[in-house]
Amino acid sequence: MKRISLLILLSSVFFATVRTTAQERSTRVKLHLVNQPLSQLVKQIESQTSYHLYYQTAVFDSLKVNLSAESITLNQVFDSLFKGTDFYYSVFKDAIFLTKNQKILTKLPSQFSGKSDEIVKENTALVADIASKKTSVPATLENKLYTIGNFTNSAKTTATLAGNIRNSETGEPIPGVYVFIDKPRLGVITDAFGFYSISLPKGKHTLNIRAVGLKDTYRQILLHNDGKLDINLVEEPFALKEVVITTDKSSNIRRTQMGIEKLDIKTIKQVPTVFGEADVLRVVLTLPGVKSVGESSTGFNVRGGSADQNLILFNDATIYNPSHFFGFFSAFNPEVIKDVQLYKSSIPAKYGGRLSSVLELNGREGNKKQLTGTAGIGLITSRLNIEGPLIKDKTSFILAGRTTYSNWILGALPNSAGYQNAKANFYDFNINLSHQQNEKNSFYATGYFSKDKSNLATDTTFQYSNQNLSLRWKHTFNNKIYGVISGGHDYYSYNNYSNYKDDVDYRLKFDIAQSNLKANFSYYPNVKWNIDFGASTIYYKNNPGALAPYSSKSLVVADVLPQEQALESAIFAEQRYDLTDALTLNAGLRYSFYNYLGPANANVYAAGLEKNDANIVSVERFGNGKSIKTYQAPEYRVGARLALNADFSIKASYNTQRQYIHMLSNTTSMSPTDVWKLSDLNIAPQQGKQISLGLYKNFKSNTIETSLEGYYKKINNFLDYKSGAVLILNHKIEQDVLPTVGKAYGIEFMVKKLSGKLNGWLSYTYSRTLLKTEDVTGGNSINSGKFYAANYDKPHDFTLIGNYRFSHRVSFSLNVTYSTGRPITLPVGKYYYEGGQRLLYSDRNQYRIPDYFRSDISLNVLGNHKKAQLLHNSWTFGVYNLTGRKNVFSTFFASENKIINGYQLSIFGTAIPFISYNIRFR
C-alpha cells in the first residue's frame, strides 16, 4: 500500500513534469550578460517569463554568467552555463531549482526497486513539499523548503507570513523573538503571545529566528501567497566560553521605544535577595531610574513619581498592593512569571491611568506537553507549582501557591526578644488556564488571590488581601490583524483591628474594586508599518473607610465614609512607521474620559478662597449614577529612533499622562492603612508630561549593551498635605490636601552584559524630584511656597549585579547597591510649654537620613544535568547585607519623662544568612 501511494505521487509529478518540460522548451528569453553574477540572470529570466528560480546565494556566489543571445530556450541557457560543472537545474511547473552536487528528481528512476524506492523518497521530498497546498505548516526542520500559499499570477509582489513561535519542550509561546530575512533586511519581533506577522517579497527566502537564551535557527520558505508558519524553538545549552550574540538580538538598538527595561525570570532568580526568595520587585529596584524610600518598603518610585503613580498589571489584572509582610516579600510567585517589562517613558497608548510607569508582569501559560512542577523550601516560605496539559498541545493549566511558617519561627524566639506574642503569616494562590481552540482563537484565564495577617507584638493586627480575575480572548482575523478582548475584576481590601483593650478595641476597613473591559487590536499593513488601536473602560467602586467597635464593650463610635463610584474610559490609536532603514517614528493618541458618579453629597466652595467650612457655599445632592463631575483630555505619545549604524542609535520621546485616582498615606512608604481616593468635584486628576532623550551603543558583537537616557518631567495636581492633616476617615479630605506642582529630571546610565561566564549589569542614576505647594487662597503654603525635595528624592543611586558561572552546576551572584539618604524633617530647636519640652521643626524635608549601602552574595548549586531523570534539584546559599550595615530606614522622636529623645530605625541591622532548596519534577 505504501509503494502504491508513492507510485501515485511520483506519477503525478512525472506527468506534470512532461507538461512543464514542453512549456519550458517553447519559452525563449533574450539575454546579454558579460561576467555577471547569477542574480542578474535570474532577474532577467523572471522578468521575461512566468518562472521563479530558487537557489542558495552562498552556493552560487562564485559563478559568473557570460551569455549573449536574442532568442534562447531555458534548457539551452542552463545546459551551456552548467556544462562541465557540478551544478544542476530541475524544472517543476513554474519553478526552476538550481542545486549543487545533487539534482532534484522530477521523474521516476529507470530502475524502480526496493533500494531505489528509498532514493526516490529522498530526492522527491522537496518536490512533494512544494506541491503541498497547506497554508499552515508546523516547522521543525532547517533543511526543508516550506511552501507558503498557492502560486497565482497575481500582480501583487508581496505576501504576508504569520505564525506563532513556541517552546518545543513546553509548548508555551515565546515573546521577543526576532524573525527576519537578510536580503532585503526586513524583520519583526514576536509579541506577548509569541505571534509574528511579516510582509515579504514573493519568492524563496531564508527566514532567520533568533532570541536570547534560545538556539538560533532558520527556515527555508517558498512564499507564493499569504500563509502561516508556526515555529518551535529549543533552549540553548549554556556554554562556559564567551558566546557571540549577533545584532539581531540587539532589540535595544532596533526598537523605537525608550525607557523600557525587560527581565526574564531566569535573570530575576539569579539576583540575591533577603531570605533567598526570588523577588520580582526587588530586582526591578536594581534598574536605573527606579528607587524606593527604604529597605523592605512596599512601593517603588520611577523617575520622580510617587508609589501610587505606577500601574502594576499581572496578566491584565491591576494589583494595588504588590507585597507581603509590609514589603519584605513580593506578592508575585516567581514560578508563574514568564517575564517582566517596565515602561518608564514611551508608554504605549493602550496603557493609561497612571503618571510614572507601567510594570507589566506576564504569566506563563503552562506546559502543554507533559505534567511538570517545582517546589521550594526556604527559611521563611515554601512554594509549590504544578502545571501540565489538560488536552495535549491545546489546553494547559498552572496551579501555584506560597505560604510562610514565620509564626512558628517567631514562637521559637526567646521571650527576651519581645516577639513571643507576635504573628506574621501570608499566602498567595495562582491559577492560570490557556486553551487554543484553533488557529484563530485562543482563550486565557488568570486567577490570583493573596492574604496577609500580621502583628509584630503590637496592639494592632493588620490584614489585607488582593483578589483578581482576568479573562482574555485572542482572535486572529488574518495574517495582518488580530485582537485581544479582555475583561476582569480586581479587588483590594484591608481589615485592621485591635482587641487588646475592651474599651478602645476597634476595626478599621477599606476596600476598592474595579471591573474592566478592554479591546486591543494590532494591524500590520506591511513590514514597515504597525498600528495598534482599541478602547477600554473601568468601573470603580471605592469604600474609603469604615470604623466600628470590635466588640460590644468597646466605646469606639462607628464612622463610615460614603461609597464612591466612577467610570474611566479611553480610546486610543498608535502607529510605528519606518521612514527609512535608519529612521523610525512612533505616534499615538489616547483620549480619556472620567465621570465621577453619584450618589453623593458634594461640597461647593466659594471660588478663590481656601477650602474650609466657612467657605462652603452649598451642598449638592446627586442621585445614584448621576454624573457629578466629568474630566476629559487627550494624552500624546510620540517617539523617534535614528540608527546611525547597526550598533548605535539615538531615541527621543514625549509623553503626557493623566491619573484619576489618588493614594492617601500618612507614611513614607505604602502601608496597610493607605486609602485610595477618586477624583471628584474638588480634587482634580493628576497630570504629567515627560520628555526623554537617549543614546544606545553596543560593543563586542553586541555582547555588551550600554545606554544613556536623560529626562525632564512636570507634574500637576499632585496631592500633598497640610501640616497636621487627618487622612483617615476624613469626610472633607479636600480641606486637608493641597494641589502641588512638581518637576523631576535625571540621567540614567546602564551597562549590561548578557552572555558568557561573567554577566550582569551596572547602573547609575542621578535624579531630582522637587515639589512646590503654594496656597494662594490662604496661609497653607509649604516652605513659604518654595520648591522642596519629595520624600523619595534620592539624587545618587548605584547598583551592580554580577553573576559568575564556575561550571555548568555552580554559579556565584553578587548585588551591591548605594544611594543617597532620603529627605526628612527634623527638629531644629526646643522650647518648654506647660511644663514639658516641645519641638520646633525645620522646613519640610530639609535634611536627609544617612546614605544607604548594602551588598549581598549567593552561591547557586544545581543538581546533575541528566535530562531524563524525574527530579532535578538545586540549592541556594547566601548572605543578605553581608557587611551588617545598620542602614537607617527612618528617624522618630518620643517624649519620655517629659524629655524628647530621638531614635533611628533600621530594618536589617545585621548580616542575614539564608538557604533555600528547590526541586523540579517532570
Side-chain angles (χ1 to χ4, degrees):
M1 186 67 186
K2 180 179 178 183
R3 179 163 298 185
I4 294 174
S5 300
L6 181 63
L7 281 171
I8 294 173
L9 171 64
L10 294 180
S11 298
S12 63
V13 171
F14 172 77
F15 289 115
T17 304
V18 171
R19 292 193 299 271
T20 302
T21 304
Q23 176 188 357
E24 184 273 332
R25 287 171 180 164
S26 64
T27 303
R28 293 179 172 271
V29 293
K30 178 180 179 181
L31 300 173
H32 293 286
L33 299 168
V34 179
N35 201 32
Q36 294 292 313
L38 181 67
S39 59
Q40 292 299 316
L41 172 65
V42 171
K43 185 176 180 180
Q44 292 199 21
I45 291 176
E46 290 186 340
S47 65
Q48 299 179 48
T49 71
S50 61
Y51 288 96
H52 292 277
L53 282 77
Y54 304 99
Y55 64 99
Q56 288 185 305
T57 305
V59 175
F60 288 86
D61 59 357
S62 61
L63 183 66
K64 300 299 180 182
V65 180
N66 289 281
L67 283 174
S68 181
E70 292 297 324
S71 178
I72 185 172
T73 66
L74 297 184
N75 269 346
Q76 292 171 337
V77 170
F78 291 109
D79 285 342
S80 62
L81 183 62
F82 293 162
K83 184 177 181 180
T85 70
D86 53 359
F87 294 114
Y88 299 92
Y89 72 99
S90 303
V91 182
F92 180 75
K93 295 187 177 180
D94 293 315
I96 300 177
F97 300 96
L98 310 182
T99 56
K100 185 177 182 180
N101 295 325
Q102 187 176 19
K103 185 176 182 180
I104 297 176
L105 298 183
T106 58
K107 61 181 180 179
L108 294 174
S110 57
Q111 301 294 329
F112 193 78
S113 64
K115 181 178 179 180
S116 61
D117 180 27
E118 299 301 319
I119 299 175
V120 171
K121 286 184 186 178
E122 178 181 351
N123 287 280
T124 58
L126 180 60
V127 176
D129 185 62
I130 294 171
S132 172
K133 294 184 179 181
K134 292 181 179 179
T135 59
S136 179
V137 185
T140 56
L141 301 175
E142 294 177 340
N143 59 351
K144 290 181 64 176
L145 183 66
Y146 295 91
T147 302
I148 310 298
N150 297 318
F151 177 79
T152 64
N153 289 320
S154 171
K156 186 179 178 182
T157 59
T158 62
T160 300
L161 177 67
N164 297 284
I165 297 184
R166 297 181 177 273
N167 187 303
S168 62
E169 185 174 346
T170 66
E172 293 187 272
I174 307 174
V177 180
Y178 190 38
V179 181
F180 69 98
I181 63 171
D182 280 316
K183 295 181 181 179
R185 186 70 170 191
L186 299 172
V188 294
I189 298 176
T190 58
D191 64 9
F193 298 94
F195 178 81
Y196 74 93
S197 176
I198 182 170
S199 296
L200 302 173
K202 290 183 178 180
K204 185 182 178 185
H205 300 286
T206 298
L207 194 69
N208 298 279
I209 305 100
R210 297 182 181 176
V212 176
L214 298 166
K215 187 176 180 181
D216 293 349
T217 187
Y218 62 89
R219 297 292 183 266
Q220 305 285 344
I221 63 170
L222 177 60
L223 186 61
H224 284 319
N225 224 318
D226 293 353
K228 293 194 67 178
L229 184 67
D230 295 334
I231 301 168
N232 294 327
L233 298 185
V234 298
E235 294 187 4
E236 187 173 35
F238 179 81
L240 292 180
K241 63 182 182 180
E242 194 71 22
V243 179
V244 176
I245 297 182
T246 66
T247 56
D248 305 305
K249 293 184 179 178
S250 55
S251 60
N252 63 317
I253 302 295
R254 295 189 312 270
R255 66 187 176 212
T256 311
Q257 294 90 348
M258 60 183 301
I260 297 178
E261 304 290 350
K262 186 172 184 178
L263 298 168
D264 59 32
I265 193 61
K266 291 182 180 179
T267 302
I268 291 171
K269 288 182 176 181
Q270 286 182 321
V271 180
T273 58
V274 65
F275 303 128
E277 176 82 18
D279 194 308
V280 172
L281 295 184
R282 292 289 162 262
V283 179
V284 168
L285 285 170
T286 68
L287 301 174
V290 186
K291 305 179 182 183
S292 70
V293 295
E295 207 154 34
S296 82
S297 60
T298 300
F300 58 95
N301 308 100
V302 178
R303 289 192 172 180
S306 60
D308 67 312
Q309 293 175 352
N310 305 307
L311 178 62
I312 302 175
L313 296 174
F314 176 41
N315 283 353
D316 264 355
T318 300
I319 307 296
Y320 279 92
N321 191 334
S323 73
H324 287 305
F325 195 26
F326 305 106
F328 283 90
F329 299 94
S330 165
F332 305 108
N333 188 335
E335 299 304 324
V336 301
I337 300 296
K338 177 170 56 180
D339 58 47
V340 178
Q341 198 154 237
L342 176 68
Y343 297 91
K344 299 180 292 185
S345 63
S346 295
I347 297 176
K350 66 180 179 179
Y351 298 123
R354 300 294 189 274
L355 290 195
S356 290
S357 74
V358 175
L359 181 63
E360 184 182 34
L361 299 101
N362 296 308
R364 298 191 299 107
E365 291 187 8
N367 197 312
K368 284 185 166 62
K369 304 290 185 180
Q370 58 183 334
L371 184 67
T372 66
T374 60
I377 301 174
L379 293 177
I380 303 294
T381 64
S382 291
R383 63 187 183 276
L384 176 65
N385 168 61
I386 300 175
E387 60 184 278
L390 295 175
I391 303 175
K392 190 171 183 179
D393 295 325
K394 290 193 69 173
T395 307
S396 62
F397 75 93
I398 294 180
L399 293 175
R402 287 190 304 170
T403 189
T404 180
Y405 28 82
S406 50
N407 281 346
W408 174 81
I409 294 176
L410 290 171
L413 294 176
N415 292 341
S416 59
Y419 290 101
Q420 60 270 23
N421 295 319
K423 301 291 182 182
N425 63 77
F426 66 81
Y427 62 89
D428 57 49
F429 180 76
N430 296 84
I431 178 170
N432 294 354
L433 297 174
S434 170
H435 174 68
Q436 184 176 354
Q437 181 68 27
N438 48 47
E439 289 186 351
K440 290 185 176 294
N441 296 284
S442 298
F443 300 89
Y444 310 88
T446 299
Y448 172 71
F449 180 81
S450 72
K451 188 170 184 179
D452 280 70
K453 183 178 181 180
S454 305
N455 72 42
L456 296 181
T458 66
D459 61 357
T460 302
T461 298
F462 298 95
Q463 299 183 117
Y464 56 95
S465 173
N466 286 291
Q467 300 174 36
N468 303 85
L469 174 65
S470 174
L471 303 173
R472 291 178 292 169
W473 167 39
K474 179 191 173 187
H475 178 72
T476 302
F477 296 92
N478 53 51
N479 284 4
K480 293 188 176 184
I481 184 170
Y482 76 88
V484 179
I485 309 298
S486 63
H489 184 76
D490 309 312
Y491 179 78
Y492 169 68
S493 67
Y494 68 67
N495 185 353
N496 306 330
Y497 64 88
S498 173
N499 61 348
Y500 281 78
K501 192 174 181 182
D502 287 344
D503 59 340
V504 294
D505 287 351
Y506 70 91
R507 185 182 296 275
L508 180 64
K509 296 181 180 180
F510 161 84
D511 66 75
I512 183 170
Q514 66 175 54
S515 300
N516 63 81
L517 182 63
K518 306 173 186 176
N520 298 329
F521 299 91
S522 295
Y523 176 47
Y524 306 88
N526 53 59
V527 75
K528 293 180 177 291
W529 192 14
N530 291 354
I531 301 174
D532 293 327
F533 60 95
S536 65
T537 186
I538 302 173
Y539 170 64
Y540 296 102
K541 183 173 284 188
N542 182 33
N543 291 301
L547 178 68
Y550 185 83
S551 67
S552 59
K553 297 179 181 180
S554 176
L555 301 179
V556 171
V557 178
D559 189 12
V560 179
L561 292 181
Q563 186 182 80
E564 297 182 314
Q565 56 182 358
L567 191 65
E568 178 184 343
S569 303
I571 55 174
F572 74 90
E574 187 171 26
Q575 67 170 2
R576 180 191 63 82
Y577 189 77
D578 297 332
L579 275 74
T580 66
D581 290 340
L583 181 60
T584 301
L585 297 180
N586 194 89
L589 176 65
R590 178 184 180 88
Y591 200 95
S592 59
F593 310 81
Y594 175 85
N595 294 283
Y596 185 66
L597 305 174
N601 294 327
N603 296 323
V604 179
Y605 295 88
L609 298 179
E610 180 183 0
K611 288 184 174 65
N612 57 35
D613 287 346
N615 294 324
I616 295 179
V617 176
S618 63
V619 178
E620 295 190 14
R621 171 66 183 172
F622 294 88
N624 187 27
K626 185 174 179 58
S627 179
I628 300 173
K629 181 66 176 179
T630 298
Y631 297 99
Q632 58 180 305
E635 302 173 30
Y636 304 101
R637 318 289 165 85
V638 181
R641 182 216 61 167
L642 177 63
L644 301 182
N645 52 50
D647 56 16
F648 183 38
S649 66
I650 301 174
K651 303 178 189 178
S653 71
Y654 174 73
N655 277 247
T656 65
Q657 307 280 140
R658 291 174 68 85
Q659 180 170 334
Y660 299 100
I661 185 170
H662 316 260
M663 186 180 72
L664 305 178
S665 176
N666 56 7
T667 61
T668 303
S669 63
M670 296 176 70
S671 76
T673 58
D674 299 335
V675 298
W676 290 81
K677 176 74 179 74
L678 303 179
S679 294
D680 59 20
L681 184 65
N682 296 300
I683 297 179
Q686 302 178 60
Q687 302 172 38
K689 300 177 182 178
Q690 180 182 175
I691 186 170
S692 307
L693 179 67
L695 305 176
Y696 306 83
K697 172 70 177 177
N698 290 356
F699 299 92
K700 296 189 66 174
S701 300
N702 294 295
T703 58
I704 298 177
E705 298 179 0
T706 64
S707 63
L708 180 66
E709 293 187 12
Y711 68 90
Y712 181 84
K713 179 190 292 186
K714 294 188 67 176
I715 303 171
N716 290 321
N717 293 332
F718 175 75
L719 294 186
D720 211 339
Y721 315 116
K722 297 178 181 178
S723 298
V726 176
L727 303 182
I728 298 176
L729 296 173
N730 189 334
H731 287 259
K732 301 172 183 175
I733 188 64
E734 68 273 8
Q735 296 184 10
D736 275 354
V737 298
L738 295 172
T740 301
V741 298
K743 60 181 179 181
Y745 53 88
I747 296 177
E748 302 167 0
F749 174 71
M750 189 173 192
V751 180
K752 185 187 298 183
K753 187 174 184 292
L754 299 175
S755 62
K757 297 176 69 174
L758 177 64
N759 58 81
W761 65 87
L762 180 152
S763 68
Y764 168 75
T765 303
Y766 174 78
S767 63
R768 296 304 311 273
T769 307
L770 304 175
L771 304 176
K772 182 179 181 181
T773 304
E774 187 175 8
D775 186 5
V776 297
T777 65
N780 294 304
S781 296
I782 298 175
N783 292 5
S784 302
K786 299 177 182 178
F787 277 103
Y788 59 94
N791 291 335
Y792 42 87
D793 175 69
K794 300 164 71 174
H796 300 283
D797 190 276
F798 170 85
T799 299
L800 171 65
I801 301 294
N803 304 289
Y804 186 81
R805 190 174 290 272
F806 296 98
S807 67
H808 287 281
R809 295 181 56 206
V810 182
S811 64
F812 173 81
S813 298
L814 170 69
N815 175 23
V816 178
T817 181
Y818 161 83
S819 65
T820 307
R822 65 174 180 82
I824 55 173
T825 304
L826 291 179
V828 294
K830 60 184 179 180
Y831 59 92
Y832 284 89
Y833 179 74
E834 293 185 351
Q837 281 189 1
R838 300 293 187 266
L839 296 178
L840 177 66
Y841 283 87
S842 67
D843 285 346
R844 185 172 295 187
N845 294 343
Q846 186 177 352
Y847 295 92
R848 293 182 180 273
I849 62 174
D851 292 352
Y852 182 92
F853 174 80
R854 195 190 77 247
S855 58
D856 318 313
I857 60 172
S858 69
L859 183 69
N860 309 296
V861 181
L862 303 178
N864 65 63
H865 292 276
K866 294 179 180 179
K867 193 171 183 179
Q869 68 185 12
L870 178 63
L871 295 178
H872 301 260
N873 63 79
S874 66
W875 291 88
T876 300
F877 309 88
V879 180
Y880 181 86
N881 193 18
L882 181 66
T883 61
R885 179 180 171 89
K886 290 180 171 58
N887 289 299
V888 177
F889 177 77
S890 66
T891 61
F892 62 94
F893 300 86
S895 178
E896 299 169 336
N897 297 322
K898 298 185 178 181
I899 301 297
I900 303 296
N901 294 318
Y903 298 91
Q904 292 182 339
L905 173 66
S906 296
I907 303 298
F908 299 111
T910 185
I912 301 177
F914 60 82
I915 181 173
S916 65
Y917 177 67
N918 305 285
I919 60 173
R920 176 170 58 90
F921 57 88
R922 54 193 306 163

